[in-house]
Amino acid sequence: MTKVEITEKILTILTEDFEFERPGLTDNLRDVHGFDSIDAIELLGKIEITILGFPLTREEKEKAMTIRTINDIVNYIEDIKRSRSK
Amino acid sequence: MKRRVVITACSAITPIGYEKDDIIESLRQGKSGVRPLRDDGLLTKHIHSRVFGTVDYPIDYGFKRQYRKTMGPVAYYACQVAKDVLERSGLSQEFITSGRLGVAFGSTHGSPTVQREIYHTFFNALEEKFSSIGAVDYLRSMVHTTAVNITRMFGITGRIIASSTACTTSSQSIGYGYEMVKFGMQDAMLCGGADEYDTTTVAVFDNLLACSVDYNDTPHLTPRPFDADRDGLVVGEGGGAVLLEEYESAKRRGAIILGEIVGFACNNNGGDLILPNLDGITATLRLALADAGLAPTDVDFVSAHATATKMGDVIEAQAIGAVYGDRPYVTGLKSYMGHTMGTCGVIETILTLYMMEQGFIAPTLNLVNVDERCAMLRHTRELTEAEIKIAAIQNFAFGGVNTCLLIKNGGMVE
């Protein structure tokens, strides 16, 4: 999955499953869309199933807790993929 | 500090209606909300009782996902009636979030629907057992899910009481909310209870031989409180909420006063967890009168717990007879909708408020031949136009918990 495809997938999840209205790639998700820790855990579950295809470790999940924007999410996913492919 | 406590808003989702007019119409027309049990693909084929007090009309919740994500079906009922009550109360947003408003709200055991989804994962040997449990499943299913979803949705920051005592859940909520305001711990309390459609509860009572089974083909003919041909309770669903406020401040802001809570009692039988206990129940009724400073002759109407179990109704009738004699009208409101479990106390309170306001007393449905052991009471056998000044709402639960609320007609509060 390319970076563009990952971005589109995340946008789809956030608009369809999380019901965010027109999320921007650099929006602070918490401030603009009310994204909270529960959403973060739920989003990680969806990323595991629909994008990565494997379960994240606890350490990997903890790293995700500093994510604020969609761009952060995409970068996080790419980092995970890179580190797992080594 | 002892302050007077009044009810200034209410809302109920019941098997006989949601809007006030619908509920009053059902009470006046003797419409039952008991329906055939829906097939859940799991338990229903093993359950002998095939009836359920069902909420079978659509409700437009309109909750945003931000709130829905932590809500099971039980919290939908809870938040809907809470929303109604806060809207109808006219309380300012500043007050609602001030910490002076608390919440006393409960359910029998959270959301069994969500709990079942979790168990389904484990008992079906799914490959992804752990990860298939959602991050919010606990928040959706936990025992205090109704109370905290209400606080979250409306930004309420006061005290939380999440009673979970089966059939006395919401009567305790109202009673403890009343005490919170009466003794100055909070200025207002949003109180109530909810329980969702749940066949596991039916299975439990079915196994205890406490469920109605003889009227599976004629659901509207059961339950039959105090009737000689009663054969057990009918489980139901619903939600209800009342807003309690300190009287002086309610009066100052011009709130509509639906009723005044003048007394409350809660005790425990201190023994058997299932069998009704005459001494315990009788003591509860007397404690409530003492709390209110009222004589038994002051009470005009008794909303009996009256589940239509074989022994429960007899013991309750004996207790009512011992305390009140045959003066007050007695109605078993569960005859209209079954036993809505943790919700029954608040729903029966709201139905009583409606009858107080409208000046009538609904009869006990399906009471055709009064059981001679219950015959010492003044049963409401037909729709009766009557003024209720003081009403007693009594509820009793597994675990030996008993409650009694005494409520004064809002039109007579001075």
Side-chain angles (χ1 to χ4, degrees):
Chain A
M1 203 178 273
T2 66
K3 186 168 185 171
V4 172
E5 289 170 333
I6 293 171
T7 304
E8 285 175 358
K9 187 70 184 171
I10 294 295
L11 282 169
T12 300
I13 291 171
L14 292 178
T15 51
E16 291 184 1
D17 296 341
F18 288 66
E19 298 178 10
F20 288 1
E21 290 181 10
R22 296 182 297 280
L25 299 183
T26 58
D27 288 352
N28 183 313
L29 294 175
R30 188 179 61 190
D31 295 345
V32 180
H33 301 286
F35 188 83
D36 60 17
S37 58
I38 294 169
D39 293 324
I41 296 292
E42 197 171 334
L43 179 61
L44 287 174
K46 291 183 183 298
I47 289 170
E48 285 176 326
I49 294 166
T50 63
I51 298 177
L52 293 172
F54 53 80
L56 293 161
T57 66
R58 182 180 175 121
E59 290 73 23
E60 288 169 335
K61 286 182 177 176
E62 286 173 349
K63 285 179 189 170
M65 293 302 145
T66 57
I67 285 172
R68 291 289 173 269
T69 68
I70 292 174
N71 281 340
D72 290 344
I73 297 170
V74 175
N75 291 336
Y76 167 81
I77 293 168
E78 291 213 300
D79 287 346
I80 296 289
K81 289 173 70 177
R82 266 195 299 275
S83 64
R84 290 293 189 105
S85 64
K86 283 179 186 172
Chain B
M1 176 193 285
K2 283 190 181 179
R3 308 190 297 179
R4 294 174 65 187
V5 182
V6 290
I7 302 170
T8 53
C10 67
S11 175
I13 296 169
T14 81
I16 58 168
Y18 172 26
E19 300 297 337
K20 176 182 170 184
D21 290 347
D22 293 338
I23 292 173
I24 290 172
E25 164 83 0
S26 295
L27 290 174
R28 282 192 174 277
Q29 300 299 322
K31 290 181 187 169
S32 168
V34 178
R35 303 280 184 269
L37 188 69
R38 287 199 301 258
D39 185 4
D40 67 353
L42 181 67
L43 289 172
T44 42
K45 62 177 179 282
H46 304 293
I47 296 173
H48 302 93
S49 181
R50 314 290 298 182
V51 288
F52 199 96
T54 307
V55 174
D56 62 356
Y57 45 84
I59 298 171
D60 181 16
Y61 295 105
F63 300 139
K64 293 179 179 173
R65 180 201 170 265
Q66 172 188 5
Y67 302 114
R68 293 199 319 267
K69 66 188 178 189
T70 55
M71 295 164 63
V74 70
Y76 275 73
Y77 282 162
C79 289
Q80 184 70 18
V81 292
K83 182 176 73 172
D84 293 339
V85 160
L86 291 175
E87 285 174 359
R88 290 169 189 171
S89 73
L91 288 174
S92 68
Q93 189 61 25
E94 182 189 9
F95 179 85
I96 289 170
T97 58
S98 67
R100 292 155 57 204
L101 169 68
V103 172
F105 215 101
S107 61
T108 302
H109 41 196
S111 175
T113 303
V114 179
Q115 290 157 6
R116 182 183 295 183
E117 290 167 8
I118 295 171
Y119 293 132
H120 180 80
T121 301
F122 281 104
F123 291 114
N124 281 276
L126 299 180
E127 287 296 319
E128 297 164 342
K129 280 185 177 176
F130 182 76
S131 61
S132 63
I133 298 173
V136 293
D137 282 351
Y138 175 65
L139 301 173
R140 295 169 64 219
S141 66
M142 61 193 184
V143 157
H144 56 312
T145 188
T146 56
V148 295
N149 271 293
I150 289 170
T151 61
R152 180 168 187 268
M153 188 174 286
F154 303 105
I156 298 171
T157 56
R159 289 189 169 213
I160 287 289
I161 301 170
S163 166
S164 181
T165 55
C167 319
T168 49
T169 294
S170 59
S171 52
Q172 271 197 331
S173 295
I174 298 171
Y176 293 157
Y178 155 72
E179 290 175 346
M180 279 289 121
V181 178
K182 178 180 179 179
F183 296 114
M185 311 298 287
Q186 299 276 252
D187 290 332
M189 290 289 291
L190 197 164
C191 308
D195 262 317
E196 67 194 42
Y197 198 97
D198 174 34
T199 50
T200 54
T201 306
V202 184
V204 166
F205 283 106
D206 202 62
N207 280 337
L208 289 166
L209 309 178
C211 271
S212 174
V213 295
D214 292 341
Y215 302 91
N216 288 342
D217 296 330
T218 51
H220 64 289
L221 296 181
T222 190
R224 310 173 67 86
F226 301 119
D227 188 83
D229 295 322
R230 71 189 180 282
D231 69 328
L233 62 82
V234 174
V235 178
E237 63 178 324
V242 292
L243 183 75
L244 309 187
E245 285 186 73
E246 189 272 319
Y247 169 63
E248 293 295 341
S249 63
K251 194 169 69 169
R252 261 198 311 277
R253 74 182 189 87
I256 296 169
I257 294 173
L258 306 176
E260 177 178 2
I261 301 186
V262 293
F264 170 66
C266 176
N267 69 354
N268 194 271
N269 296 332
D272 196 285
L273 298 186
I274 294 179
L275 293 176
N277 181 301
L278 179 60
D279 291 340
I281 291 172
T282 306
T284 313
L285 310 190
R286 290 195 168 127
L287 285 167
L289 286 169
D291 184 53
L294 294 175
T297 50
D298 292 325
V299 175
D300 308 302
F301 171 69
V302 174
S303 166
H305 188 57
T307 59
T309 57
K310 289 181 179 170
M311 280 315 298
D313 286 11
V314 173
I315 298 294
E316 183 173 13
Q318 290 173 350
I320 295 169
V323 174
Y324 296 111
D326 61 357
R327 186 187 172 278
Y329 285 100
V330 177
T331 300
L333 291 166
K334 290 181 181 67
S335 57
Y336 290 81
M337 67 191 80
H339 189 338
T340 55
M341 297 287 127
T343 322
C344 71
V346 66
I347 286 180
E348 289 158 13
T349 297
I350 292 169
L351 266 50
T352 300
L353 291 172
Y354 290 163
M355 291 191 292
M356 279 178 157
E357 183 204 77
Q358 301 281 316
F360 76 96
I361 300 175
T364 301
L365 274 190
N366 303 320
L367 181 52
V368 179
N369 300 304
V370 177
D371 183 329
E372 62 182 23
R373 295 167 297 174
C374 306
M376 74 292 271
L377 307 181
R378 186 183 191 183
H379 291 287
T380 320
R381 305 290 302 273
E382 57 189 15
L383 185 69
T384 303
E385 303 299 324
E387 182 181 77
I388 306 170
K389 184 176 181 187
I390 300 285
I393 291 98
Q394 45 201 50
N395 297 102
F396 318 118
F398 271 10
V401 186
N402 309 308
T403 63
C404 181
L405 289 157
L406 289 169
I407 297 178
K408 186 175 187 180
N409 188 323
M412 301 175 184
V413 173
E414 297 171 339

